[in-house]
Amino acid sequence: MNTALPDRLARRRLLLGGAALLAGWAEPARAAQQRRRDVRALMGTQVRIAALGEPDIVAPAIDAAWCEMARLAALFSHYSATSQVAAINLAAGLQPVPVAAELLDVLAMAGEVSRRSEGAFDLTVGSLGRWHFDPAAPAMPAPDEIRAGLANIDWRELWLDRSAGTAMLARRGMRIDSGGIAKLPILQAGLHTLRSHGVATALIDGGGDVVAATAPCAQPWRVGIRDPRMPSRLAGALQITHGFVASSGDYERCFVRDGRKYHHVLDPRTGYPTTGPHGVTLVADSLEAVNGIGTALMVLAPGAGAALLRASGVDNALVGGRNGRLQVTPALQRRLIAA
């Protein structure tokens, strides 16, 4: 159920996946506006909407945003047996599958990120078998299953036909894992829905991935950035009026076995969790600049990662290395303020 946010909670700190909403409201609400906040489980995480608008508009807008995000999540999920991604996986090596235009857009974006990262991001990493990162019920494939799965990882063998509206995996055994590329487009669609219903100032967070917008002349949102080396701590905060904060890290979904931590960001070259940075946070105005890039940076060596950032045009980045160092680009350093 949607609930109005009381004024006493207006500055409550909410620690999220890779970011923290520090000041929930960019400006005092005018008499004709209402602050609202809603939290629901979606895409395997807690998704939060904060919105400011006229009372008769903001509640229906939030409901419409949830409906749109749930619709897309049902299409894109690689866990649901009834999703269009599951249909592509089931028909691998057999036939093309008709898919929605929204899914074609996400798959095309994944292919572009794979090309730019030279395969460091590859959504066919789902071919590796059944990793499960819930600490309550962890599971990992056997080594021979991982070796067999590696032979089926190749982003170039996901074939898209825009004119026919179809997608196909080239070989039996190939599988798509949409987890590293689908969340931000779903959150963006939720924000677009809010704006189409007349809500100009809103923020949606899904497990540390944030999309935000503000009305003209409104004060910015204040968003905290988690320190990936010590996830319970913030590295700082920044103010945003619009755009995206995208976070990837090894601290959210993981389990420990025989003294080793296994996390959900898999290296498509080895079949095992990445051994690069603990986490990456990227800030940009456009979805295309950041979506999937954080995952690729956790796979790549530092030099290749820096080259990918330059090629993507991302100036605002924070990387927590395994050497204990926190690297912040000069552009983001200038924007960071005390949390």
Side-chain angles (χ1 to χ4, degrees):
M1 184 176 76
N2 291 330
T3 56
L5 182 69
D7 288 343
R8 63 183 175 84
L9 296 181
R11 295 189 60 84
R12 179 181 176 185
R13 174 176 294 188
L14 302 175
L15 187 60
L16 312 176
L21 180 57
L22 297 181
W25 307 110
E27 57 184 346
R30 297 192 296 270
Q33 292 187 317
Q34 186 178 66
R35 301 162 172 155
R36 295 189 73 90
R37 182 170 59 110
D38 200 8
V39 182
R40 300 186 190 181
L42 189 67
M43 299 180 285
T45 190
Q46 292 293 306
V47 176
R48 296 169 169 85
I49 296 178
L52 179 67
E54 297 179 10
D56 60 339
I57 290 176
V58 67
I62 290 175
D63 287 339
W66 284 124
C67 288
E68 177 64 2
M69 290 191 292
R71 180 184 75 85
L72 294 177
L75 289 177
F76 297 171
S77 173
H78 59 283
Y79 294 110
S80 170
T82 59
S83 73
Q84 291 187 353
V85 167
I88 296 170
N89 292 339
L90 186 64
L94 298 177
Q95 62 187 24
V97 174
V99 297
E102 296 94 336
L103 180 54
L104 274 176
D105 289 342
V106 169
L107 297 179
M109 188 181 302
E112 177 62 16
V113 175
S114 297
R115 182 191 66 78
R116 286 158 50 196
S117 67
E118 298 183 347
F121 176 89
D122 193 323
L123 83 172
T124 64
V125 75
S127 307
L128 284 169
R130 296 299 184 181
W131 286 90
H132 295 284
F133 296 97
D134 183 351
M140 61 184 292
D144 58 346
E145 188 178 1
I146 291 175
R147 285 191 294 270
L150 284 172
N152 287 322
I153 297 177
D154 189 345
W155 61 273
R156 291 161 295 197
E157 294 196 330
L158 172 61
W159 301 335
L160 307 181
D161 187 332
R162 286 281 192 180
S163 60
T166 61
M168 179 179 177
L169 289 165
R171 289 179 280 115
R172 298 299 293 163
M174 296 188 73
R175 290 180 57 87
I176 291 171
D177 181 339
S178 56
I181 198 77
K183 189 198 296 183
L184 270 177
I186 291 172
L187 301 181
Q188 182 189 49
L191 186 66
H192 284 169
T193 301
L194 289 168
R195 302 194 76 176
S196 70
H197 282 71
V199 175
T201 298
L203 181 145
I204 305 179
D205 163 76
D209 289 327
V210 173
V211 298
T214 57
C217 303
Q219 294 299 309
W221 294 98
R222 190 166 179 242
V223 175
I225 303 299
R226 177 176 283 190
D227 186 335
R229 304 165 304 172
M230 191 177 296
S232 61
R233 181 175 75 182
L234 295 180
L238 71 155
Q239 295 180 321
I240 58 173
T241 57
H242 64 279
F244 301 82
V245 180
S247 298
S248 302
D250 64 8
Y251 42 80
E252 282 297 315
R253 294 167 51 209
C254 59
F255 63 88
V256 176
R257 178 170 293 178
D258 298 328
R260 178 182 174 184
K261 183 170 79 171
Y262 295 88
H263 63 88
H264 76 287
V265 183
L266 299 177
D267 186 334
R269 305 168 302 182
T270 68
Y272 288 89
T274 61
T275 57
H278 284 297
V280 178
T281 296
L282 307 174
V283 184
D285 290 341
S286 73
L287 172 68
E288 292 76 11
V290 297
N291 200 23
I293 299 299
T295 298
L297 292 175
M298 292 184 66
V299 171
L300 292 170
L308 177 61
L309 276 179
R310 289 193 297 271
S312 302
V314 179
D315 298 324
N316 296 274
L318 176 149
V319 180
R322 293 192 179 272
N323 57 6
R325 296 180 58 189
L326 187 66
Q327 298 175 301
V328 184
T329 60
L332 184 59
Q333 187 68 64
R334 289 190 293 269
R335 293 180 62 179
L336 282 178
I337 57 179

